[in-house]
Amino acid sequence: MSRSGADLALLLLAGFRTLADRATAELADRGFEDVRPVHDFALRSILSGADSTSELARRLSVTRQAAAKTIAALEERRYVARQPDSDDRRRTRLRVTEHGLALLRQGEAVFDELREQWEKQSGKASVSTLEETLRSLVGDSAIRLDSPGWIARLPDVE
Amino acid sequence: MSRSGADLALLLLAGFRTLADRATAELADRGFEDVRPVHDFALRSILSGADSTSELARRLSVTRQAAAKTIAALEERRYVARQPDSDDRRRTRLRVTEHGLALLRQGEAVFDELREQWEKQSGKASVSTLEETLRSLVGDSAIRLDSPGWIARLPDVE
DNA sequence: TCAAGATAGGCAACCCGGTTGCCTTTGTCA
DNA sequence: TGACAAAGGCAACCGGGTTGCCTATCTTGA
């Protein structure tokens, strides 16, 4: 009954996308439109201290230019703001706005609800087993993967 | 100990990316460079009967233009070829080349090996439990998801 | 039989999240 | 003070998508 390894990969992808898509939709319902996973990742990094373009770029393992674009998007949507900085090279310091904090809180809540939904469907044990298996396979630290950019890249997780 | 729902999503993504990245690297080692998951999906669809741009587009749930680009890439790499067709609207019919078949075979082998590797690490039971849980959660048919294009879209699986 | 409509294909332009290459500004330190 | 590191940003590009619009061919039914 066990199928090919490719199926396994597809299932993992489908699982992620199911969660991510539902979360995106739910967040849109709650008034946070135009939010993408990458925004959430970036916001978290900024919140935990990445207050400049270069620093954010390092934490997300992307180029400065990519980070700058992400920041521009976040700024446009008022999730982050800039403040003058003493070091005139960097000129501004990033700060997560109240709106941004609200997004993070809602995002967390949404994902938690989705997880609970899964637990209701398959049982708490199944979900945590799944999680444990995966964690042991990809490693706690492997949430930092280096690879081509055909998906929102994963940030460092402090 | 159980963490947030977002972690669950991240783990699924990390799992997929681990497999996909390793597969891509391994295929490159075996002489198939420049191969991306989307190529594999498309090739499989063509092999199982999607012999025109429009048909491939339908199976991959993308626009005809996107399918055309993918086909162009596959053709360039000699994984598919075109043949004249009786219907002059479509003008050509797609065919998977020997080279393309070789890629598919190698791809399957690589994924199977990766799966075995995981089984050695976590035990056969764990991997198949993981798979069963996921299958029940996303559904066998959910491998067709409709959503924004920030990742290689999944094809119909016949 | 022939006009309307469905179907296949393709071009151009754009989006998003990345990249590289190159350049300026500012700060630091020998 | 002058060399260099570090931050930022512009322009151009890429991959895998999108939409809008256009033509060519086949099919059908009045």
Short mmCIF file of all heavy atoms in Angstrom, two decimals, chain B residues 19 28 48 56 86-87 89 94 114-115 131 136 146 153 156:
data_model
loop_
_atom_site.label_atom_id
_atom_site.label_comp_id
_atom_site.label_asym_id
_atom_site.label_seq_id
_atom_site.Cartn_x
_atom_site.Cartn_y
_atom_site.Cartn_z
N LEU B 19 13.16 17.02 0.76
CA LEU B 19 13.09 15.99 -0.28
C LEU B 19 13.35 16.58 -1.66
O LEU B 19 14.14 16.04 -2.44
CB LEU B 19 11.71 15.32 -0.26
CG LEU B 19 11.42 14.42 0.94
CD1 LEU B 19 10.01 13.85 0.83
CD2 LEU B 19 12.44 13.29 1.02
N ALA B 28 20.79 16.19 -10.60
CA ALA B 28 21.87 16.94 -11.26
C ALA B 28 23.13 16.07 -11.32
O ALA B 28 23.79 15.99 -12.35
CB ALA B 28 22.14 18.24 -10.51
N SER B 48 1.09 10.80 -19.70
CA SER B 48 -0.20 10.14 -19.49
C SER B 48 -1.28 10.78 -20.34
O SER B 48 -2.46 10.72 -20.00
CB SER B 48 -0.57 10.17 -18.01
OG SER B 48 -0.82 11.49 -17.59
N LEU B 56 -2.40 20.13 -21.37
CA LEU B 56 -1.45 20.18 -20.26
C LEU B 56 -1.84 21.27 -19.28
O LEU B 56 -1.81 21.08 -18.05
CB LEU B 56 -0.03 20.43 -20.78
CG LEU B 56 1.04 20.46 -19.69
CD1 LEU B 56 1.12 19.13 -18.96
CD2 LEU B 56 2.40 20.83 -20.28
N SER B 86 -2.90 15.90 -37.04
CA SER B 86 -3.90 16.04 -38.09
C SER B 86 -4.74 17.31 -37.89
O SER B 86 -5.07 17.99 -38.86
CB SER B 86 -4.82 14.82 -38.09
OG SER B 86 -5.28 14.60 -36.77
N ASP B 87 -5.03 17.60 -36.66
CA ASP B 87 -5.80 18.82 -36.38
C ASP B 87 -4.88 20.04 -36.49
O ASP B 87 -3.99 20.22 -35.69
CB ASP B 87 -6.40 18.72 -34.97
CG ASP B 87 -7.31 19.91 -34.67
OD1 ASP B 87 -7.14 20.97 -35.30
OD2 ASP B 87 -8.20 19.77 -33.82
N ARG B 89 -5.39 23.00 -35.93
CA ARG B 89 -5.48 24.03 -34.91
C ARG B 89 -4.34 23.84 -33.93
O ARG B 89 -3.69 24.78 -33.52
CB ARG B 89 -6.79 23.89 -34.13
CG ARG B 89 -7.90 24.70 -34.64
CD ARG B 89 -9.12 24.42 -33.83
NE ARG B 89 -9.32 22.98 -33.64
CZ ARG B 89 -10.44 22.49 -33.13
NH1 ARG B 89 -11.43 23.28 -32.75
NH2 ARG B 89 -10.57 21.20 -32.98
N LEU B 94 2.47 16.60 -28.53
CA LEU B 94 3.63 16.44 -27.65
C LEU B 94 3.96 14.98 -27.45
O LEU B 94 3.08 14.12 -27.40
CB LEU B 94 3.35 17.09 -26.30
CG LEU B 94 3.07 18.59 -26.36
CD1 LEU B 94 2.63 19.09 -25.00
CD2 LEU B 94 4.30 19.32 -26.84
N LEU B 114 15.19 8.33 -1.33
CA LEU B 114 15.05 9.29 -0.24
C LEU B 114 14.07 8.79 0.80
O LEU B 114 14.28 8.89 2.01
CB LEU B 114 14.59 10.64 -0.78
CG LEU B 114 15.66 11.40 -1.56
CD1 LEU B 114 15.07 12.64 -2.23
CD2 LEU B 114 16.80 11.82 -0.63
N ARG B 115 13.01 8.17 0.30
CA ARG B 115 12.02 7.63 1.23
C ARG B 115 12.64 6.53 2.08
O ARG B 115 12.44 6.47 3.30
CB ARG B 115 10.85 7.07 0.42
CG ARG B 115 9.67 6.69 1.28
CD ARG B 115 8.81 5.65 0.59
NE ARG B 115 8.03 4.96 1.60
CZ ARG B 115 6.78 5.29 1.90
NH1 ARG B 115 6.19 6.23 1.26
NH2 ARG B 115 6.14 4.64 2.86
N GLU B 131 2.55 9.34 6.42
CA GLU B 131 1.92 9.41 5.11
C GLU B 131 0.41 9.22 5.23
O GLU B 131 -0.38 9.95 4.61
CB GLU B 131 2.52 8.33 4.21
CG GLU B 131 2.55 8.69 2.77
CD GLU B 131 3.35 7.66 1.97
OE1 GLU B 131 3.58 6.54 2.50
OE2 GLU B 131 3.74 7.96 0.85
N SER B 136 -5.02 11.32 4.97
CA SER B 136 -6.38 11.47 5.48
C SER B 136 -6.71 12.95 5.70
O SER B 136 -7.86 13.36 5.59
CB SER B 136 -6.54 10.68 6.78
OG SER B 136 -6.11 11.44 7.88
N ASP B 146 -6.28 24.67 -5.47
CA ASP B 146 -6.29 25.93 -6.20
C ASP B 146 -5.87 27.04 -5.27
O ASP B 146 -6.42 27.21 -4.20
CB ASP B 146 -7.69 26.21 -6.75
CG ASP B 146 -7.82 25.69 -8.16
OD1 ASP B 146 -6.79 25.67 -8.85
OD2 ASP B 146 -8.93 25.30 -8.55
N ARG B 153 2.84 24.67 -8.98
CA ARG B 153 1.49 24.18 -8.74
C ARG B 153 1.44 22.68 -8.93
O ARG B 153 2.20 22.09 -9.68
CB ARG B 153 0.54 24.87 -9.69
CG ARG B 153 0.79 26.35 -9.68
CD ARG B 153 -0.26 27.05 -10.45
NE ARG B 153 -1.52 26.94 -9.75
CZ ARG B 153 -2.35 27.96 -9.62
NH1 ARG B 153 -2.05 29.11 -10.11
NH2 ARG B 153 -3.50 27.80 -9.01
N ASP B 156 -3.04 17.52 -11.56
CA ASP B 156 -3.98 16.43 -11.31
C ASP B 156 -3.16 15.17 -11.17
O ASP B 156 -2.14 15.00 -11.81
CB ASP B 156 -4.91 16.24 -12.49
CG ASP B 156 -5.89 17.38 -12.56
OD1 ASP B 156 -5.68 18.37 -11.83
OD2 ASP B 156 -6.84 17.28 -13.33
#
